[in-house]
Amino acid sequence: MKSKHILTEMTPYQPGKQTEEVKREYGLNRIVKLASNENPFGYSKKVDDYLSEQKPALNIYPDGYTSELRHALANKLGVSEKQLIFGNGTDEVVQLIGRAYLYPGANAVMATPTFPQYKHNALVEGADVKEVATRNGYHDLSGMLDAIDDSTNVVWLCSPNNPTGCLIPNDDFYDFMEKCPSDVLVVVDQAYLEYADRVLSPDRLSDLDQYKNLVILRTFSKAYGLAGLRIGYGIANEELIPGLDVVRGPFNTSSIAQKAALLALEDDAFIEDTFSRNRSNKQSFEQFLDSIGWHYYDSQTNFLLVSTPISGEKVFHYLQENGFIVRPGEGLGSPKTVRVTIGNETDMEDLQEVLYKLHQKVNEGLLT
């Protein structure tokens, strides 16, 4: 069969093991999943009440224009409804941008390591990929500017960055935008915006008027806790949205996801509670890592990328055997690290106990 040749050189996304699978494999009664940056505090009670009390009409197609959520979100963000596009998670919006702007002969510039779907979708579309190594987890924006050429159509900026958690400083962002060619699409992925320091992390919405080539991505999967429903969105100038809508499927977000996102959007108290608890638990975990001398990156998210004295894969397997699932950095483009989602208070205390025992084994030469 004559598929795209590039597909023979790529592999599908490999999700981590599910908790029940790990329980069976290691004979464990309890597994704590800290691998996918999900919200350990769940989601808004408004959503829970709706799902418990309402019976959605599953035989009816969803609203292909996402009208109700579009209206509410536009009002909350202070943008026009025509500036929004919705996707089956932000993943799909990334895919739509690739479909619309990338093709053989074009290229995309991105950091490394960063969210792998930027590269994946560029390669699927036949475009070239130009990766610029991060510096201590931060985007090297001057290096990314140097990488831009006449064939560059898209630049990906993940802020805060996944997997390092680092935020692009405000002054650096503006310097980059002033120097970047105006015909190059700049995508700022803010999937973790709700976890970031309010002063350090501007929402970038006010920059849309100044920079017509700017697209902002956000999601309901992380802080809002709706990862299982898959709904995210992009915000851009009105001129950019129709081209993305052309390559979007007609009913790409479900009725349940649209309603849940609408209700979650109303619950600011839940987001503030998530922000506060995540910050407290992250600070406690950072203090523990300091006490055992393990380095971690400057994260403004709900995860930490932690440098490990042995391979990330070995740490991953040790933790898995002891009831914790994390992400080894080798698969994220960052060897000798693990990415740890910040869990609830009890789970993080238990994780510290397991990591301290691992630290002792490494110091005693029992694990190398």
Side-chain angles (χ1 to χ4, degrees), residues 18 45 101-102 125 186 213 216 234-235 268 278:
Q18 298 301 304
K45 188 176 184 301
Y101 288 92
L102 296 175
E125 299 301 333
V186 178
N213 57 331
I216 299 166
I235 318 149
D268 292 334
N278 175 77

Side-chain angles (χ1 to χ4, degrees), residues 102-325:
L102 296 175
Y103 44 81
N107 70 63
V109 174
M110 62 198 69
T112 183
T114 195
F115 185 50
Q117 291 303 102
Y118 309 149
K119 180 177 181 178
H120 180 92
N121 284 289
L123 293 176
V124 168
E125 299 301 333
D128 294 324
V129 172
K130 304 178 88 173
E131 296 178 288
V132 179
T134 56
R135 294 181 177 179
N136 298 319
Y138 287 86
H139 283 59
D140 176 6
L141 294 183
S142 61
M144 296 179 76
L145 281 170
D146 291 340
I148 295 172
D149 60 27
D150 291 341
S151 298
T152 302
N153 282 12
V154 181
V155 174
W156 295 96
L157 303 179
C158 190
S159 183
N161 188 39
N162 180 11
T164 64
C166 299
L167 190 70
I168 295 174
N170 206 35
D171 289 344
D172 293 352
F173 170 78
Y174 286 123
D175 181 67
F176 177 87
M177 292 302 295
E178 289 299 319
K179 295 175 181 176
C180 180
S182 60
D183 62 347
V184 172
L185 192 72
V186 178
V187 186
V188 179
D189 188 342
Q190 294 189 317
Y192 298 93
L193 174 72
E194 291 83 6
Y195 289 107
D197 183 281
R198 303 300 197 263
V199 176
L200 298 176
S201 181
D203 63 21
R204 301 265 76 97
L205 294 176
S206 60
D207 301 321
L208 289 170
D209 289 337
Q210 182 176 357
Y211 303 111
K212 303 300 183 183
N213 57 331
L214 179 63
V215 179
I216 299 166
L217 304 185
R218 296 186 184 170
T219 184
F220 287 96
S221 295
K222 304 304 181 185
Y224 285 97
L226 302 181
L229 291 179
R230 310 306 300 125
I231 186 163
Y233 60 98
I235 318 149
N237 285 285
E238 292 184 16
E239 296 82 1
L240 296 178
I241 297 300
L244 298 177
D245 264 330
V246 167
V247 295
R248 179 182 63 84
F251 303 108
N252 61 326
T253 59
S254 71
S255 300
I256 296 176
Q258 291 181 32
K259 185 63 176 180
L262 178 66
L263 294 170
L265 193 66
E266 299 172 355
D267 197 346
D268 292 334
F270 175 79
I271 293 298
E272 287 304 314
D273 182 65
T274 287
F275 171 80
S276 178
R277 293 176 71 183
N278 175 77
R279 179 176 59 181
S280 177
N281 293 352
K282 179 157 68 75
Q283 288 173 344
S284 296
F285 189 45
E286 289 171 343
Q287 291 169 2
F288 164 75
L289 294 171
D290 289 339
S291 73
I292 63 173
W294 285 23
H295 170 267
Y296 50 89
Y297 288 82
D298 181 20
S299 174
Q300 289 287 332
T301 64
N302 67 331
F303 60 83
L304 285 179
L305 186 66
V306 182
S307 297
T308 53
I310 56 178
S311 78
E313 286 286 347
K314 288 182 179 179
V315 173
F316 161 73
H317 287 296
Y318 180 89
L319 291 177
Q320 191 168 250
E321 291 169 0
N322 286 274
F324 291 86
I325 306 175

Side-chain angles (χ1 to χ4, degrees), residues 8-115:
T8 64
E9 302 173 8
M10 301 172 66
T11 57
Y13 176 78
Q14 297 294 325
K17 290 184 177 181
Q18 298 301 304
T19 55
E20 292 304 315
E21 181 183 359
V22 176
K23 281 183 182 180
R24 290 193 300 270
E25 183 175 348
Y26 293 100
L28 299 169
N29 294 319
R30 174 184 176 237
I31 289 292
V32 178
K33 185 185 177 190
L34 302 174
S36 301
N37 305 335
E38 296 148 331
N39 189 336
F41 313 119
Y43 48 85
S44 170
K45 188 176 184 301
K46 293 176 181 285
V47 177
D48 196 42
D49 290 344
Y50 168 75
L51 294 176
S52 300
E53 299 169 4
Q54 302 296 321
K55 185 178 179 182
L58 300 182
N59 59 313
I60 304 298
Y61 281 111
D63 174 6
Y65 190 62
T66 325
S67 304
E68 193 175 6
L69 176 59
R70 180 183 298 272
H71 179 71
L73 189 59
N75 284 340
K76 190 177 185 70
L77 299 180
V79 300
S80 163
E81 293 184 23
K82 295 180 180 179
Q83 290 182 260
L84 296 170
I85 185 163
F86 294 88
N88 187 268
T90 307
D91 282 352
E92 188 187 18
V93 185
V94 172
Q95 183 183 54
L96 298 180
I97 292 170
R99 284 181 182 174
Y101 288 92
L102 296 175
Y103 44 81
N107 70 63
V109 174
M110 62 198 69
T112 183
T114 195
F115 185 50

